[in-house]
Amino acid sequence: MCSAELTTGSAGSAAGPGFRLDHAAVKAWLSEKDPDALEALWQEADRVRKAHVGDDVHLRGLVEISSHCVRNCLYCGLRAPSRDLDRYRMEAEEILASAWEAHRLGYGSVVLQAGEDPGLTKEFIAQIIRAIKRATPLAITLSLGERSDDELRAWRAAGADRYLLRFETSDPVLYRRIHPDLPGIPSDRFAQLHRMRAMGYEIGTGVMVGIPGQTWDTLAADILRFHEFDMDMIGVGPFLPSPRTPLGGPGAVAFFADPEHQVPNDELTTLKAVALTRLVCPDANIPSTTALATLDRAQGRELGLMRGANVVMPNVTPVAYRVRYEIYPGKACVNETATACQGCLEGRIRSLRRRLGKGPGGRYSNAM
Ligand code: SAH
């Protein structure tokens, strides 16, 4: 049986007796192999999900508004040195049309995501937020990377509701290696998350499972950090190597922790991380990620939803742009039209006997 299965629930965790969730226990669960113990973990994550956020699966329409990026992240295909990418920045009208499509399909919110692109100016984004708010009841989530407080305040004032900024890893040494600073500007995503919360955003974060250099201790610390920060939204997906990046080529070997400590970027470990995230953050919105669906096209989405997740982010970017937003290769559903995608997801959600969420699906509107 699981070495983590000891006595009582940890502080703040919603997990029942038998689920002690301190660092040692989370770490032990992450490398648990016993099928009976894992079955107990899945059931507990699903029970806590149902008790705290219910059976609704919220759909967020994802619009990938620009593939330009000034950063040099070692994991991401959009990084500035990827010179062979056919970069794009959507026009305001195109973004509005995509948001309208999300609304037409019945989604309660839209996520505007991009590389870190200074061409997406403060005023351009503020105008888009105002226009979407005028035309639709959609909640708006931004995922535009590290931006100035001035920009973040202006976007919040224009009506943006939420901001996604994954901290990627809680290990500061690994973070600096895989996410180099811009010259003269130290990157501190935790600080930005704090400031955005003070500005009134719902804040979302997350990590990749199995990024080279991530150890079991690091991933356990990441999960406990979600709890400490009381994050509103948490995305946990597998790291998928992109051949355009240093972590996707043969040189990646140099980044790996020794085999005993390196976390694999596989489906099972990702599902354990999702389940444990649900146990430590019972009422957070947790997506079943596209990266997980990419790793397991047959049932990745469903397994995420069965093991703690309650959100899916269908892509509503025009197909012609989507294929050019290549964070990692082979992204699931990249050629599906938004309408086809909606039909497929609805079927998958109903097959799990779950409901389509209505309305914006904010953290505090999930309350049971
Ligand atoms: N520029 C924004 C949005 C980035 S894309 C930002 O930096 O916040 C959103 C997320 O995709 C990233 O935060 C990262 O966790 C994830 N991602 C990037 N490259 C990936 C890869 N190769 N495999 C899996 N996920 C990746």
Side-chain angles (χ1 to χ4, degrees), residues 62 111 113 141-145 162-166 189 192-193 196 201-205 233-235 313:
L62 176 67
V111 181
Q113 191 183 81
T141 303
L142 302 176
S143 175
L144 305 175
R162 310 175 186 150
Y163 204 103
L164 295 178
L165 188 72
R166 290 186 173 184
R189 289 188 163 210
Q192 182 176 328
L193 286 162
M196 292 191 298
Y201 284 100
E202 275 198 24
I203 53 170
T205 196
M233 306 172 280
I234 304 154
M313 292 165 61

Side-chain angles (χ1 to χ4, degrees), residues 69 71 73 75-78 113-116 143-146 163-166 168 179 189 206-208 237-242 245 291 325 327-328:
C69 191
R71 300 209 80 105
C73 305
Y75 45 84
C76 180
L78 299 184
Q113 191 183 81
E116 216 165 286
S143 175
L144 305 175
E146 289 156 65
Y163 204 103
L164 295 178
L165 188 72
R166 290 186 173 184
E168 314 294 4
H179 185 96
R189 289 188 163 210
V207 298
M208 289 167 276
F239 165 66
L240 299 173
S242 161
T245 66
Y325 191 84
I327 292 180
Y328 49 77

